[in-house]
Amino acid sequence: MYNTRTNTNTYTVVDIRKTFENCEADIRTIARRTGKWSMEYVDKIMHDILKLAENGYLNEVSIALKDANNHVKRATKFAISENGTANDSARPGQNNDWENIVNTHLSVYLSYSSKWHSLTDQQKKGFQTNNYFQIGWTTTSDDTSFSHLNSGAAQLYANKGYELQKTNFK
């Protein structure tokens, strides 16, 4: 006997936005606790992230607190699953140990989906222009596995099968 499971979840742009509301709350809390980003800058980051997510162009969003030598002191990663099974979200949180440490800065990293990578450079630029991107995103060779830090699964944010799994690194 074989068990089969069919995922009948169909999510919309609204569901993606609802899922990212908790992610945004976490990022705002991190920005406030560290004192490294203004709320206006977070608005710009979230604008671009939402446009990418709504079009299936993102796999992960990571925030890292880095020292003057660009060593990551702590980080948080939000991994996207478009085929999840969860329908509701945990509450945002587990951000209390982010601190305003002297000579540190925040960095945001986006990991793009194969759908994004399949676009031509011209299509990518057109997408960014047509969606009024707020940030001048650049490529990096930074290691976003944060393997030198201890990791722990945190909240799962979800709406109708669209999921963001938060992982904290410290």
Side-chain angles (χ1 to χ4, degrees):
M1 182 172 165
Y2 296 98
N3 290 327
T4 59
R5 185 179 144 273
T6 303
N7 185 353
T8 58
N9 293 329
T10 55
Y11 55 84
T12 65
V13 168
V14 172
D15 298 316
I16 293 170
R17 289 179 185 165
K18 283 182 181 178
T19 303
F20 268 95
E21 285 175 1
N22 292 320
C23 170
E24 180 176 355
D26 282 334
I27 293 172
R28 288 187 183 284
T29 301
I30 291 166
R32 278 194 295 273
R33 291 193 57 80
T34 62
K36 307 302 177 190
W37 289 340
S38 69
M39 291 305 105
E40 292 78 17
Y41 188 70
V42 174
D43 289 343
K44 291 177 180 182
I45 290 170
M46 290 309 303
H47 170 272
D48 293 359
I49 286 172
L50 282 172
K51 292 299 180 190
L52 290 162
E54 289 166 3
N55 287 277
Y57 291 148
L58 278 182
N59 285 337
E60 293 177 341
V61 175
S62 300
I63 307 295
L65 183 67
K66 300 167 77 176
D67 66 19
N69 296 318
N70 269 343
H71 294 113
V72 176
K73 307 303 273 176
R74 65 168 297 118
T76 293
K77 184 177 290 189
F78 302 91
I80 296 167
S81 172
E82 295 181 345
N83 299 308
T85 58
N87 287 310
D88 57 355
S89 293
R91 293 183 53 133
Q94 296 186 14
N95 301 310
N96 290 338
D97 43 4
W98 286 83
E99 299 173 328
N100 187 349
I101 302 169
V102 176
N103 294 325
T104 59
H105 63 278
L106 288 174
S107 293
V108 58
Y109 298 96
L110 305 181
S111 172
Y112 298 97
S113 68
S114 59
K115 185 177 175 184
W116 174 261
H117 290 296
S118 70
L119 298 177
T120 65
D121 287 344
Q122 185 176 356
Q123 288 171 317
K124 291 174 186 176
K125 286 179 185 167
F127 178 82
Q128 292 172 332
T129 300
N130 293 338
N131 286 284
Y132 306 101
F133 267 41
Q134 307 289 307
I135 305 291
W137 299 97
T138 60
T139 57
T140 182
S141 59
D142 291 2
D143 178 9
T144 59
S145 71
F146 312 120
S147 58
H148 67 288
L149 299 172
N150 293 321
S151 66
Q155 292 88 334
L156 176 67
Y157 304 138
N159 203 336
K160 295 186 181 172
Y162 187 90
E163 298 177 350
L164 287 176
Q165 175 61 63
K166 180 181 175 187
T167 303
N168 290 323
F169 299 84
K170 43 185 167 173

